[in-house]
Amino acid sequence: MAEQFTISFEGSVENFSCPKYARVLFAMEKQGLSHIPVGCRGGGCGTCRVIVTQGRYRTRKMSRVHVSEDQKRAGYVLACRLIPESDLLLRLAGDGPGV
Amino acid sequence: MALTGVLRAGFVQIRVLEMDEALPHYEGRIGLDLVEKCEDGRVYLKGYDEFDHHSIILREADAPGVDLMAFKVAAESDLDSFEKRVTDYGVAVDHVAAGEQPGVGRRIGFTLPTGHRIELYAEMARSENGPFTDNPDIWRDEPRGMRALGFDHCLMYGPNVAEVLRFFTEALDFSLVEKVQTPDGPIAVWLTSSTKSHEIAFVEHAEPGKFHHVSFLLESWNDVGHAADIISRYDISRDVGPTRHGITRGQTVYFFDPSGNRNEVFSGGYSYFPDHPTRVWTPDQLGKGIFYYEKELNDRFLGVVT
């Protein structure tokens, strides 16, 4: 089984696990959870935007419309493009419908 | 020739985030044929049942969405007459030289009040891989993936839909096939230049230039089910369906490409002729209009655009 990281949320005791190399939003959906709102799942719509406040990560390319270069430096990411490299602490920062 | 002026939706140029994710989706899963990759990075594709050189262009960019949609007109002289009519209407026209896309003749372009760029062209080279014409077999090689026949239409989101309706009907001779009407005017319109139920559609939306979906034609309701099987098997991001539209009556499934652009594959729907009346929906019945079985909309379908 792949190494697992714990994805937690500020101000909440809830968390879920995400395998190394998996994308956080997909790991959440596979466990039937709904902590983060789900939009296009492709980095395009901003619905699943979060701020990573603790932890190491990388991302696939995300729409510049929803994560500017400045926002990226401030930890804004789209959870559907977010790949953890340690446990992560997140804050919801959605930028789309259903948020 | 009875069909004159604008013939049909011809091609759409779509922005994708990462080509190495996008191309396997459009080629392998939807089943389009790769035509060519050009030096500027754009990738050209077509459906197996399309005669012209290409219908889908993918361009890698920092944000997904739609660059432009182009309609094919019947004759070179139509470009001049539409340039005059669009200019007289009060919309500025610009020119794109022949060869800006491989195999495509000169184009005229303009920006709609919804923020979308539309182009017209008369000439496109025939594909060397198009449908047979002599005692024709039904295809050259058995169709792949979702077995898309070709590009069918787009739905755009933006402001000033009532104005765009007037422009398409008065300047480009399109017909209004269906609409959603409020006391303040139409908030959604389905427009055609042919006997298809729609070549392009618009929904009122505050932000200009947004892209709701690109749609590909399938042969049958069974193929819509086969497409849904592919969506589940390969963990493609599904949006809605399989289901059926009240509006246009198409049988459909919606999903997203790997950059978050919405795709539709559909079959069926009725044929439209210019003597037909416009079908009108009221906003309280819109759920049934969009999803005839569920009779309700969802926030993602209404709001998620690129």
Side-chain angles (χ1 to χ4, degrees):
Chain A
M1 190 169 161
E3 188 178 350
Q4 302 279 321
F5 296 121
T6 300
I7 311 300
S8 312
F9 294 85
E10 282 190 353
S12 169
V13 295
E14 293 188 44
N15 61 66
F16 61 87
S17 60
C18 179
K20 193 176 183 178
Y21 306 119
R23 303 188 196 186
V24 166
L25 194 77
F26 300 173
M28 180 197 81
E29 282 197 285
K30 275 190 176 159
Q31 294 167 69
L33 303 173
S34 55
H35 301 76
I36 306 168
V38 177
C40 70
R41 305 184 185 89
C45 75
T47 304
C48 68
R49 195 172 70 174
V50 297
I51 306 170
V52 182
T53 56
Q54 279 179 37
R56 297 189 314 280
Y57 61 93
R58 60 193 171 87
T59 68
R60 297 292 296 247
K61 198 168 165 188
M62 304 175 287
S63 173
R64 184 72 59 82
V65 171
H66 297 289
V67 181
S68 68
E69 285 297 310
D70 284 349
Q71 287 172 325
K72 199 173 168 182
R73 280 190 287 276
Y76 282 81
V77 295
L78 303 181
C80 63
R81 309 292 273 180
L82 172 62
I83 300 161
E85 294 183 337
S86 74
D87 292 345
L88 297 180
L89 184 63
L90 307 181
R91 184 194 309 158
L92 296 181
D95 189 31
V99 176
Chain B
M1 183 166 61
L3 195 59
T4 58
V6 177
L7 297 179
R8 62 173 180 275
F11 62 82
V12 58
Q13 183 166 307
I14 300 165
R15 297 190 300 273
V16 298
L17 290 172
E18 300 183 42
M19 193 62 77
D20 68 349
E21 290 183 317
L23 184 53
H25 172 83
Y26 283 95
E27 185 183 17
R29 302 297 177 232
I30 293 180
L32 303 179
D33 290 332
L34 175 63
V35 178
E36 63 180 294
K37 300 179 181 180
C38 285
E39 278 185 8
D40 66 4
R42 283 183 292 180
V43 174
Y44 296 80
L45 302 119
K46 69 177 280 294
Y48 77 85
D49 208 33
E50 294 180 301
F51 286 105
D52 282 356
H53 183 265
H54 63 264
S55 58
I56 300 292
I57 305 105
L58 303 178
R59 183 175 74 83
E60 196 169 277
D62 286 334
V66 61
D67 279 337
L68 66 100
M69 178 173 169
F71 295 93
K72 193 174 191 184
V73 300
E76 180 73 16
S77 57
D78 289 326
L79 294 178
D80 298 324
S81 59
F82 281 120
E83 176 167 3
K84 180 170 188 328
R85 289 177 62 185
V86 171
T87 304
D88 289 349
Y89 189 92
V91 172
V93 172
D94 60 53
H95 302 90
V96 182
E100 192 273 339
Q101 291 185 7
V104 183
R106 73 181 177 99
R107 290 131 65 185
I108 64 169
F110 41 87
T111 302
L112 301 174
T114 48
H116 301 92
R117 179 173 173 83
I118 297 293
E119 293 181 351
L120 305 178
Y121 66 100
E123 299 293 333
M124 189 186 286
R126 281 262 195 255
S127 170
E128 294 170 0
N129 193 33
F132 290 119
T133 52
D134 298 337
N135 302 316
D137 273 306
I138 56 171
W139 27 254
R140 289 176 184 269
D141 304 304
E142 55 270 44
R144 191 175 51 254
M146 298 181 188
R147 311 194 277 248
L149 295 158
F151 168 46
D152 192 84
H153 66 267
C154 290
L155 170 57
M156 309 296 196
Y157 266 39
N160 307 308
V161 163
E163 179 56 24
V164 163
L165 165 62
R166 195 165 76 86
F167 174 78
F168 267 88
T169 51
E170 293 183 11
L172 301 178
D173 295 332
F174 276 58
S175 297
L176 177 61
V177 179
E178 301 210 29
K179 67 175 174 176
V180 180
Q181 185 72 23
T182 73
D184 299 325
I187 54 169
V189 295
W190 286 259
L191 296 156
T192 195
S193 58
S194 68
T195 60
K196 284 160 58 183
S197 60
H198 50 328
E199 301 283 351
I200 191 168
F202 294 91
V203 168
E204 186 76 26
H205 184 72
E207 204 176 344
K210 303 306 277 187
F211 187 41
H212 188 273
H213 72 261
V214 56
S215 185
F216 303 93
L217 181 65
L218 303 184
E219 209 167 50
S220 71
W221 194 200
N222 278 348
D223 277 356
V224 176
H226 178 63
D229 292 341
I230 288 172
I231 289 167
S232 272
R233 168 63 182 85
Y234 295 107
D235 281 328
I236 295 170
S237 174
R238 189 179 63 93
D239 188 18
V240 186
T243 184
R244 185 181 179 108
H245 292 305
I247 297 167
T248 76
R249 295 191 205 148
Q251 298 147 333
T252 177
V253 60
Y254 285 93
F255 50 100
F256 295 96
D257 80 4
S259 305
N261 294 303
R262 190 183 281 95
N263 297 157
E264 176 189 38
V265 291
F266 83 105
S267 66
Y270 53 76
S271 297
Y272 175 84
F273 290 89
D275 64 321
H276 289 182
T278 298
R279 291 160 160 95
V280 182
W281 294 82
T282 50
D284 62 307
Q285 295 295 306
L286 189 54
K288 189 168 84 172
I290 303 291
F291 300 126
Y292 190 64
Y293 302 145
E294 294 82 356
K295 296 186 180 175
E296 60 182 26
L297 291 163
N298 66 61
D299 287 343
R300 186 166 59 206
F301 188 81
L302 280 182
V304 166
V305 290
T306 53

